[in-house]
Amino acid sequence: MFINTKLASYFLLILSLLVWNVSSQNKLISLKGELIDENGTSLKSISIYLVELNITTKSNSAGSFEFKNIPPAIYTLIIESDSHELLTKKVSLKTQNQEIQIVLKRNEKLKEVIVLGKKKNQFKSLGYELEILNIANELNNTKTLNQILEQQSSINVRQSGGLGSRVNYSINGLSEKSVRFFIDGIPMEFYGASFSINTIPISVIDKIEIYKGITPIYLSNDNLGGAINLITKKVSQNLIKISYSFGSFNTHTSSVYTNINLDKKGAYINAFGFYNYSDNNYEIWGDNVLVTDPETFNVTRNNRVERFHDAFQSKGIKASFGIKNRSWTDHFETGLILTDFDKEIQHGPTMEIPFGEATYSQKNGTAYLRYSKKNLLNKKLGIQLFAGYSDRTRVHIDTTKNIYSWNGKIIGQRVLGGEQYGVLTQNTLKKKTFIQKLSADYRLNNQHKAYFTSQIAFVNRTDNDPTITNKNEAYWAPQHFNKNTFGLALDSKWLHRKLSTSFFIKNHSFNAKIKTTEDGQLFKNSNADANFFGFGFSSSYKINQLLILKTSFERANRLPEETEILGDGVNILSTDQLKAEQSFNYNIGVQHQLLLNNNSTLTYNLFFFRRDVDNFIKLWQKDDSAFVYINFDNIDIHGFDAELKYKWKNKFQVNYAISRLFPIIKSRLDSDGNKNLLFNSELPNTLLFKSTLNTQVNFENTFKTNDALSVKWASNFVDSFFVRDNVFGADNKDEIPQQLSHNVGVNYSFPNKKISIGLDCNNIFDAQLFDNFAIQKPGRAFFTKINWSI
């Protein structure tokens, strides 16, 4: 594994030098142009987007624009204007400077336009390690959001089963709560598990922002290891989109999305609903699958059985009313979200003991409003406001005395009820959350821009469990968790806008009122609070339009989360001893695009990182039935990820990505205060090396004029890693073996572009795949998806 990784590193470095050398020999020239309307009048302040190089400029007062220092090639220009029709134009730029004239037709009606991704260009140019995934290319296939993110080099997705099962994400080695999820810039935990990355339909997502390590302050949260921000669709036309997918394991997913314009000024109603269901009854096999004969009580291993108690169901609806383009607001929106899910629990952290009756469910109602206004105070100030309230109820039922075997049969009875933790549970937890976020930006001049973000969250929790006896007064007292964050940033352009910098400070604080217990019966009230400042910078230097160097640094803090402090009311105990995680994050990378000829492009990204983490928070098993979060390991994580992309016209593309981690435990003492025998060893149960290969071939006019057909192949390789540690033994049962899986898909769009069909086969060779303490993932599976636009 190490040799392969070393060779891959040398290959990428040599490739960088070769590509740099070839690129430096290309003659860089300029493309100049003029924008006019049908009457010959010059058009100013119109955005012109050069697709292949991902750069944008605007026309000046004379209607002129220019792209400087670009290599000869065939380019695509997208010209966007609120008052003119959207225009896409091909330009062949040869070996000399070229001038063109473009005529725009006036458009009196509002139409859906292509979002040029200002946020993408802004934060990428400032040195943040940001990857943007365009979901438009994935709408026709049956992939989930988890499967799409799993193909990214820097992200590891650990899923404990099929649809709706618990998912753990890591970015560059930091996982769990160190990686934050957002929906349109709002923390996803505000909406609850019933409206999360496991349940949101892909059809309502426009793109995904992936920040590796350091994040800008507009994502106002304590992101120690990175962030994933889902950007939902923003359309301005009347439409209805219907999507339905079905396949193996009795899996069904469906969604309906609609937008209705109420007037020509920008008032609208927007809504979508979704429904997901799966039996998740896929086959599993191996040494961890023990079957007991109920008559002889003989135990056999390496059985091939179906999961029998793992069904998942989720549904929800989101409706909003909005107003745009008024004197008092650029965009105002208020909305309501109602969601719920039900999940059967098949087993605990490992597959050793199956469960047959334990269940988990959640209902959530959320109301919110958004407000934004730009061009205040002499067109220098912009503000954005979000406020929301959610009411959530979670129910965990585990009362049976039955003991199940992996063949789904009852083989005995427990003295006390409860499959998961050996105790009865009928816990109902009610949680009310209020969140308010205020962001502002102020343009000091053409070179500097300042940003401010503040976010306040209040959580009030009460829970009840009739199976707990001898409750004292403290048990009935509600628990509170308040969390505040704010950030300041200064973004600047230097050296004729070739050098971009961003300096920032962040503050995070929390206060919690907790009920703690030692025996699960007697409770006491306690308080916990903390306040931390963080700081950092990011910068990039644009050697030319195709080659960018980046570096960034942050002193980051990650406060304990609500569940880590207050517990979950079932088996995770509350604590008032937890400290914040702190880390020094370092990043350096290069982005390079090479135009090989008029039809081909080659792009590569190479990114090195280090995370020096103190007070690492992890879940610790306190006794046979209870867990608690503790501070234990100090960890040094370093490594790299790299991606190579080749594209020929719009007909063929291939992406290859690799990631390698070196997570080393630096704690000299263990959790009991003794000498840590794992000092300087690798962090266990951590995926260390992965590679992905994605290939897509596109065909046009295959069966009919204007139809479209695409064929995709995706491969995912994961090297072996230890489930526990590599110090006290390395027998096979403690190691997850190498894994290689392949997915294939075919998508077809009819000529009218209103109907499309996707066919996918996941894990086509039925490989045995593992995750999270050797929990087996689904084998070969087939799915079909139909999209219909009205």
Side-chain angles (χ1 to χ4, degrees):
M1 178 178 66
F2 176 74
I3 296 177
N4 291 338
T5 305
K6 190 174 182 180
L7 289 175
S9 303
Y10 287 150
F11 167 76
L12 286 168
L13 290 174
I14 293 173
L15 176 65
S16 302
L17 294 175
L18 290 175
V19 172
W20 190 318
N21 183 58
V22 173
S23 177
S24 65
Q25 297 176 12
N26 288 341
K27 181 181 178 181
L28 300 180
I29 55 182
S30 297
L31 171 62
K32 297 181 179 180
E34 180 187 13
L35 295 183
I36 60 174
D37 63 14
E38 296 169 296
N39 299 321
T41 304
S42 299
L43 300 175
K44 65 178 181 178
S45 300
I46 303 295
S47 294
I48 304 98
Y49 177 46
L50 198 156
V51 175
E52 286 75 12
L53 300 184
N54 189 30
I55 54 177
T56 303
T57 189
K58 283 190 174 184
S59 58
N60 60 21
S61 58
S64 300
F65 66 90
E66 182 177 9
F67 292 102
K68 297 180 180 179
N69 299 322
I70 60 177
I74 296 178
Y75 292 110
T76 305
L77 299 180
I78 298 177
I79 299 92
E80 176 194 15
S81 169
D82 292 336
S83 56
H84 295 80
E85 292 184 0
L86 180 72
L87 178 65
T88 302
K89 183 178 179 62
K90 289 283 187 179
V91 178
S92 179
L93 187 60
K94 299 182 180 179
T95 56
Q96 296 180 346
N97 295 339
Q98 188 170 338
E99 295 186 11
I100 60 175
Q101 187 180 71
I102 300 175
V103 180
L104 297 184
K105 295 182 179 180
R106 191 159 190 83
N107 180 18
E108 301 297 338
K109 297 182 180 180
L110 290 173
K111 289 191 175 182
E112 181 177 9
V113 298
I114 295 177
V115 179
L116 297 184
K118 295 178 181 178
K119 198 170 288 184
K120 169 183 175 180
N121 296 330
Q122 172 192 351
F123 291 121
K124 273 203 167 188
S125 66
L126 288 171
Y128 293 97
E129 289 297 333
L130 169 62
E131 183 72 20
I132 301 288
L133 304 183
N134 189 348
I135 300 301
N137 299 325
E138 307 288 352
L139 291 179
N140 293 337
N141 60 44
T142 65
K143 287 182 180 179
T144 64
L145 289 173
N146 289 323
Q147 291 171 329
I148 293 172
L149 290 169
E150 190 176 24
Q151 292 297 311
Q152 306 309 305
S153 62
S154 59
I155 298 180
N156 293 327
V157 181
R158 312 286 297 279
Q159 188 162 359
S160 301
L163 183 68
S165 61
R166 181 178 181 271
V167 181
N168 177 27
Y169 279 81
S170 66
I171 298 179
N172 297 145
L174 291 179
S175 60
E176 295 287 353
K177 300 296 185 179
S178 294
V179 177
R180 301 296 195 190
F181 285 85
F182 300 83
I183 302 177
D184 293 326
I186 303 303
M188 192 175 289
E189 60 261 28
F190 167 69
Y191 299 100
S194 55
F195 192 69
S196 67
I197 200 163
N198 265 348
T199 61
I200 296 175
I202 188 176
S203 58
V204 304
I205 304 301
D206 180 41
K207 56 180 178 286
I208 303 176
E209 300 175 339
I210 303 172
Y211 289 92
K212 306 173 185 179
I214 296 174
T215 59
I217 66 167
Y218 95 93
L219 295 179
S220 54
N221 217 324
D222 46 338
N223 315 297
L224 191 71
I228 297 173
N229 186 27
L230 307 183
I231 307 297
T232 58
K233 288 183 180 298
K234 310 292 189 300
V235 299
S236 56
Q237 67 192 63
N238 294 322
L239 61 81
I240 299 176
K241 290 187 177 182
I242 302 172
S243 174
Y244 173 64
S245 173
F246 63 94
S248 299
F249 323 126
N250 193 26
T251 300
H252 303 265
T253 62
S254 59
S255 66
V256 178
Y257 179 91
T258 182
N259 186 79
I260 301 173
N261 291 322
L262 302 178
D263 59 31
K264 295 182 179 181
K265 295 181 179 180
Y268 64 88
I269 295 176
N270 184 283
F272 71 83
F274 64 89
Y275 176 79
N276 305 310
Y277 178 84
S278 180
D279 286 336
N280 287 321
N281 59 337
Y282 58 89
E283 287 190 332
I284 57 175
W285 64 93
D287 289 342
N288 285 330
V289 182
L290 281 67
V291 172
T292 303
D293 189 299
E295 296 181 359
T296 65
F297 294 99
N298 291 330
V299 179
T300 58
R301 291 180 179 271
N302 203 24
N303 298 276
R304 195 177 188 104
V305 300
E306 282 189 359
R307 296 169 72 96
F308 60 91
H309 185 66
D310 199 24
F312 171 76
Q313 176 182 260
S314 68
K315 55 186 178 293
I317 184 171
K318 176 181 180 291
S320 61
F321 166 76
I323 298 174
K324 296 180 180 179
N325 306 318
R326 299 298 200 269
S327 60
W328 54 276
T329 182
D330 292 335
H331 190 189
F332 171 84
E333 182 179 279
T334 182
L336 181 66
I337 305 173
L338 300 174
T339 59
D340 70 71
F341 78 84
D342 296 278
K343 180 74 174 72
E344 295 177 344
I345 303 173
Q346 181 65 91
H347 52 70
T350 70
M351 295 201 314
E352 294 178 2
I353 301 176
F355 306 147
E357 299 182 39
T359 61
Y360 177 89
S361 64
Q362 185 181 114
K363 297 181 183 295
N364 190 78
T366 299
Y368 73 90
L369 65 85
R370 291 179 180 271
Y371 173 87
S372 64
K373 179 64 177 174
K374 297 181 179 179
N375 298 323
L376 299 170
L377 298 182
N378 296 323
K379 297 185 177 182
K380 291 186 176 183
L381 176 66
I383 59 173
Q384 303 84 40
L385 174 67
F386 177 92
Y389 172 81
S390 72
D391 193 337
R392 189 181 317 163
T393 300
R394 187 218 63 194
V395 179
H396 191 134
I397 303 296
D398 184 11
T399 59
T400 184
K401 293 184 178 182
N402 294 329
I403 302 175
Y404 286 83
S405 180
W406 266 116
N407 58 8
K409 297 180 179 180
I410 299 173
I411 59 174
Q413 297 282 316
R414 294 179 177 85
V415 176
L416 299 175
E419 296 181 285
Q420 290 186 272
Y421 315 111
V423 293
L424 296 174
T425 298
Q426 291 181 323
N427 183 272
T428 298
L429 186 148
K430 295 183 179 295
K431 175 179 171 181
K432 303 180 187 300
T433 304
F434 172 78
I435 187 172
Q436 176 182 297
K437 180 178 179 180
L438 174 65
S439 300
D441 57 86
Y442 186 82
R443 182 172 57 84
L444 302 174
N445 51 42
N446 291 333
Q447 187 176 351
H448 304 288
K449 196 170 187 179
Y451 294 86
F452 168 79
T453 299
S454 174
Q455 181 175 290
I456 303 172
F458 301 94
V459 177
N460 181 74
R461 277 182 27 173
T462 58
D463 62 313
N464 181 43
D465 192 335
T467 64
I468 297 180
T469 59
N470 300 323
K471 304 183 185 78
N472 60 4
E473 184 178 352
Y475 174 81
W476 301 103
Q479 299 187 95
H480 303 279
F481 185 84
N482 304 331
K483 184 176 180 181
N484 304 318
T485 66
F486 81 82
L488 291 170
L490 177 64
D491 297 348
S492 304
K493 302 286 187 180
W494 313 88
L495 302 178
H496 304 289
R497 307 185 74 83
K498 287 188 175 183
L499 176 63
S500 301
T501 61
S502 178
F503 292 89
F504 57 84
I505 59 172
K506 301 177 182 180
N507 176 260
H508 311 289
S509 62
F510 81 91
N511 176 268
K513 295 181 179 180
I514 314 165
K515 58 183 182 187
T516 59
T517 180
E518 293 293 331
D519 58 5
Q521 300 293 325
L522 298 177
F523 295 82
K524 67 177 182 178
N525 293 321
S526 60
N527 295 319
D529 56 67
N531 191 316
F532 290 92
F533 270 93
F535 57 90
F537 74 91
S538 65
S539 65
S540 68
Y541 184 76
K542 186 183 295 185
I543 296 178
N544 55 48
Q545 299 289 359
L546 301 175
L547 181 59
I548 301 177
L549 304 179
K550 296 183 175 184
T551 184
S552 56
F553 162 80
E554 182 179 15
R555 175 53 167 171
N557 303 287
R558 205 274 282 183
L559 300 180
E561 281 296 290
E562 165 217 335
T563 301
E564 295 168 333
I565 288 284
L566 305 184
D568 68 348
V570 183
N571 73 307
I572 300 179
L573 302 179
S574 57
T575 177
D576 54 6
Q577 302 299 315
L578 206 56
K579 301 177 183 178
E581 287 183 346
Q582 295 182 300
S583 176
F584 288 102
N585 294 343
Y586 310 87
N587 309 278
I588 187 170
V590 57
Q591 293 179 197
H592 196 182
Q593 184 180 55
L594 175 67
L595 303 180
L596 301 177
N597 51 50
N598 289 341
N599 298 315
S600 302
T601 61
L602 181 68
T603 305
Y604 75 92
N605 301 318
L606 184 59
F607 174 56
F608 296 91
F609 58 87
R610 182 183 178 187
R611 313 280 184 258
D612 188 2
V613 187
D614 294 328
N615 296 323
F616 189 73
I617 296 176
K618 73 174 184 178
L619 191 63
W620 179 62
Q621 187 168 359
K622 185 176 181 180
D623 54 43
D624 292 339
S625 62
F627 293 79
V628 66
Y629 282 95
I630 64 169
N631 297 107
F632 172 49
D633 292 318
N634 297 333
I635 301 174
D636 180 14
I637 303 173
H638 58 278
F640 70 88
D641 62 68
E643 187 172 21
L644 186 66
K645 301 179 182 180
Y646 172 78
K647 185 176 182 179
W648 178 67
K649 294 184 176 179
N650 195 33
K651 298 182 180 296
F652 174 76
Q653 62 184 41
V654 57
N655 299 350
Y656 176 69
I658 62 173
S659 175
R660 177 62 164 101
L661 293 180
F662 299 90
I664 307 301
I665 297 175
K666 289 298 183 181
S667 300
R668 296 184 178 274
L669 301 177
D670 62 20
S671 57
D672 297 321
N674 301 318
K675 181 180 179 180
N676 188 8
L677 299 179
L678 300 181
F679 176 70
N680 266 344
S681 65
E682 287 186 335
L683 188 69
N685 196 36
T686 301
L687 194 153
L688 302 175
F689 178 82
K690 66 172 285 189
S691 65
T692 59
L693 178 66
N694 293 276
T695 304
Q696 179 173 333
V697 183
N698 301 320
F699 304 93
E700 296 179 349
N701 307 317
T702 305
F703 303 108
K704 293 184 178 181
T705 304
N706 295 326
D707 70 357
L709 176 70
S710 64
V711 180
K712 301 179 181 181
W713 183 285
S715 299
N716 189 59
F717 171 77
V718 176
D719 207 346
S720 60
F721 60 93
F722 286 96
V723 176
R724 295 175 178 87
D725 63 77
N726 57 358
V727 175
F728 296 106
D731 53 40
N732 291 331
K733 69 179 182 180
D734 287 335
E735 186 178 23
I736 300 296
Q738 289 184 348
Q739 303 171 64
L740 178 63
S741 61
H742 304 274
N743 303 330
V744 63
V746 179
N747 303 322
Y748 178 76
S749 295
F750 288 86
N752 60 12
K753 306 301 180 184
K754 291 185 177 181
I755 300 177
S756 64
I757 299 176
L759 302 173
D760 290 274
C761 179
N762 297 336
N763 194 2
I764 189 171
F765 297 116
D766 200 27
Q768 191 176 24
L769 306 177
F770 300 97
D771 242 335
N772 287 337
F773 293 100
I775 294 175
Q776 191 170 335
K777 298 197 290 187
R780 184 187 298 116
F782 297 91
F783 299 94
T784 299
K785 184 176 183 179
I786 302 173
N787 289 316
W788 182 28
S789 298
I790 301 176

